[in-house]
């Protein structure tokens, strides 16, 4: 496996490249041009500038997370043709800078959602928390108000400049069924995967987080059955997955080690993190350690070892530790600890396991 770390760029991250290259066994970053809006072409000079900046620290820039998909593509509007052309141009530009994997998602309107970004755990650290009951009862309008009052409550898709469009976007999905969304995803992949084959760049879809519908919006990448359907949409290894143990792990029926075995040829990017699930549907993000959450991370890493995983892997969200001031979920310390945990398991397995 090739260990990497997510980095939000020099203007958007409290974590520095020089911090990342001090984490043992970590050779690259998952990066993006975070100032780009979905639908905008990423041009070669700006890509090159960022890639060179990353490389100057001895790190590689082979994974992009994410090139976000314009809402018109997900909605299947006629303008999708133009937006797909732009996406294809971005793929070509990234390929010429040596990028190998593009992570993306197909969640309508917004990405992951939580009710508390700094919920205190017993030890005083804080973490991202999802309270099922609150989400069931809050309207997007009320959430927008909450975010407007507390601008530090930042979640992807709910950025201040986008808040006034959210309700309209949600309304646009009123008549879009899950089947429609599947068709729109197929249409997109049929256009994009042949280009990926030509440029040798792998697409890796990120599952829905949480893996169920929120605010009545369709979500289609949530379960084993969904992953089976996804890989069948376009039968090419370039049509692959970002297997996120945290996003999928919020649902008790998702067996992550079994998925790793089943989809081993299509996993191009592994996200590893733990969540503690509660019976009422709530969940909180915990340390990576198996004993701290509901997902057995030892078994997850063991499954990757069993399939001889050679793809990219990164720790996913972490807790906020030791007074760290960082992007919610993306501090340095807990994710670095996660890497050491994963590498500890991996190295032990490499040496033939722990002999009693
Ligand atoms: C998230 C996502 O779980 C995660 O990795 O932080 O925002 C993820 O980057 C996107 O869904 C990928 O498109
Ligand atoms: Mn993830």
């Amino acid at each position: 496996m090739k260990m990497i770390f997510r980095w939000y760029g020099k203007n958007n991250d409290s974590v520095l490249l020089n911090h990342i290259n001090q984490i043992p066994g970590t050779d690259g970053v998952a990066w993006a041009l975070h100032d780009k809006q979905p639908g905008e072409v990423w041009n070669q000079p700006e890509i090159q500038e960022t890639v060179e900046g990353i490389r100057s620290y001895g790190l590689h820039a082979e994974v992009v997370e994410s090139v976000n998909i314009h809402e018109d593509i997900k909605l299947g509007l006629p303008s999708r043709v133009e937006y797909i052309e732009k996406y294809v141009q971005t793929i070509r530009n990234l390929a010429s800078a040596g990028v190998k994997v593009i992570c993306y998602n197909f969640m309508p309107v917004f990405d992951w959602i939580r009710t508390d970004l700094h919920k205190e755990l017993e030890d005083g650290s804080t973490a991202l928390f999802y309270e099922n009951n609150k989400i069931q009862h809050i309207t997007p309008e009320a959430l927008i108000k909450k975010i407007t009052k507390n601008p530090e409550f930042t979640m992807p898709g709910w950025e201040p400049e986008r808040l006034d469009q959210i309700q309209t976007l949600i309304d646009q999905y009123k008549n879009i069924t899950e089947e429609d969304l599947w068709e729109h995803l197929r249409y997109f992949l049929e256009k994009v995967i042949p280009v990926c084959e030509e440029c040798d760049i792998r697409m890796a879809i990120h599952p829905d987080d949480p893996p169920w519908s929120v605010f009545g919006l369709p979500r289609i990448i949530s379960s084993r059955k969904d992953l089976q359907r996804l890989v069948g949409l376009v039968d090419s290894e370039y049509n692959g997955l970002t297997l996120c143990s945290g996003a999928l792990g919020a649902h008790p029926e998702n067996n992550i080690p079994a998925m790793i075995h089943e989809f081993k040829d299509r996993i191009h990017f592994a996200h590893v993190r733990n969540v503690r699930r509660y019976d009422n549907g709530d969940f909180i993000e915990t340390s990576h350690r198996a004993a701290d959450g509901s997902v057995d991370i030892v078994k997850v890493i063991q499954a990757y070892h069993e399939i001889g995983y050679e793809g990219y892997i990164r720790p996913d969200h972490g807790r906020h530790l030791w007074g760290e001031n960082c992007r919610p979920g993306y501090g340095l310390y807990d994710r670095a600890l996660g890497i050491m945990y994963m590498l500890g398991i991996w190295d032990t397995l490499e040496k033939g396991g722990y002999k009693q």
Side-chain angles (χ1 to χ4, degrees):
M1 62 180 185
K2 299 185 199 109
M3 187 61 72
I4 63 172
F5 200 81
R6 189 171 196 184
W7 182 62
Y8 277 90
K10 56 176 192 291
N11 303 325
N12 298 309
D13 206 326
S14 55
V15 179
L16 307 178
L17 289 168
N18 192 38
H19 295 150
I20 299 172
N21 70 8
Q22 292 174 3
I23 307 171
T26 305
D27 305 318
V29 298
W31 63 278
L33 297 182
H34 284 279
D35 297 331
K36 289 281 177 190
Q37 296 307 312
E40 262 185 274
V41 175
W42 298 18
N43 296 310
Q44 267 175 1
E46 44 195 2
I47 292 174
Q48 213 50 51
E49 193 194 331
T50 304
V51 167
E52 274 161 25
I54 293 168
R55 287 191 186 142
S56 69
Y57 285 85
L59 295 161
H60 71 73
E62 292 167 8
V63 180
V64 164
E65 176 173 354
S66 309
V67 183
N68 288 326
I69 299 204
H70 195 276
E71 236 38 71
D72 289 8
I73 299 177
K74 297 181 230 169
L75 285 161
L77 298 179
S79 45
R80 69 179 159 176
V81 174
E82 178 198 325
Y83 287 119
I84 292 176
E85 272 166 25
K86 291 188 170 161
Y87 204 97
V88 161
Q89 191 54 53
T90 298
I91 293 177
R92 291 192 192 282
N93 293 348
L94 288 172
S96 67
V99 169
K100 297 287 172 212
V101 169
I102 296 177
C103 171
Y104 71 106
N105 71 74
F106 218 70
M107 288 177 253
V109 192
F110 47 80
D111 195 319
W112 54 261
I113 190 164
R114 301 289 185 268
T115 49
D116 192 342
L117 303 183
H118 291 97
K119 172 92 171 167
E120 210 165 300
L121 287 137
E122 300 83 349
D123 58 10
S125 61
T126 66
L128 308 186
F129 177 59
Y130 179 92
E131 191 177 340
N132 201 26
N133 192 38
K134 254 196 197 157
I135 287 282
Q136 302 305 337
H137 291 102
I138 197 170
T139 59
E141 216 181 357
L143 188 53
I144 290 166
K145 268 202 198 126
K146 173 174 169 168
I147 298 171
T148 315
K149 274 203 219 127
N150 314 281
E152 69 287 355
F153 197 93
T154 45
M155 297 186 291
W158 301 83
E159 294 80 13
E161 65 278 10
R162 209 169 171 255
L163 285 183
D164 56 346
Q165 305 163 34
I166 287 187
Q167 190 58 56
T168 323
L169 283 171
I170 293 179
D171 292 343
Q172 277 186 289
Y173 279 93
K174 277 222 168 90
N175 300 316
I176 304 285
T177 63
E178 287 188 0
E179 279 309 306
D180 295 329
L181 197 57
W182 275 112
E183 270 321 301
H184 302 161
L185 178 54
R186 177 202 301 281
Y187 182 95
F188 169 72
L189 289 172
E190 280 175 351
K191 298 276 185 282
V192 155
I193 297 299
V195 180
C196 293
E197 288 174 341
E198 196 190 302
C199 308
D200 193 29
I201 209 164
R202 287 166 169 75
M203 294 297 285
I205 196 166
H206 190 283
D208 306 327
D209 184 356
W212 52 78
S213 164
V214 176
F215 299 142
L217 291 164
R219 284 193 159 190
I220 56 173
I221 310 293
S222 299
S223 66
R224 169 183 176 224
K225 253 179 50 221
D226 297 339
L227 299 184
Q228 283 172 334
R229 185 163 176 185
L230 181 274
V231 298
L233 282 185
V234 174
D235 189 17
S236 160
E237 64 160 296
Y238 288 83
N239 170 28
L241 311 172
T242 296
L243 201 95
C244 182
S245 70
L248 291 164
H251 198 295
E253 272 165 32
N254 286 333
N255 178 338
I256 314 296
M259 288 173 169
I260 295 168
H261 280 281
E262 181 168 358
F263 301 107
K264 59 174 191 257
D265 302 328
R266 294 294 187 94
I267 302 173
H268 304 317
F269 192 14
H271 281 185
V272 178
R273 74 178 147 88
N274 209 343
V275 283
R276 193 194 301 156
R277 295 185 299 258
Y278 298 93
D279 291 342
N280 59 3
D282 295 357
F283 61 86
I284 188 150
E285 302 191 4
T286 62
S287 95
H288 281 70
R289 193 170 185 224
D292 288 344
S294 308
V295 183
D296 190 334
I297 299 296
V298 176
K299 289 205 172 123
V300 168
I301 298 297
Q302 193 179 22
Y304 281 117
H305 193 261
E306 280 161 2
I307 65 164
Y309 185 62
E310 287 181 349
Y312 302 94
I313 185 165
R314 72 163 178 85
D316 207 342
H317 307 162
R319 300 165 299 150
H320 319 109
L321 305 184
W322 308 322
E324 188 176 23
N325 199 349
C326 57
R327 295 181 75 92
Y330 284 98
L332 172 63
Y333 308 132
D334 205 32
R335 290 187 295 150
L337 291 174
I339 288 187
M340 289 313 290
Y341 186 65
M342 290 191 265
L343 291 179
I345 300 165
W346 185 269
D347 290 351
T348 306
L349 294 168
E350 281 290 278
K351 290 193 187 331
Y354 181 71
K355 304 268 187 315
Q356 299 263 354

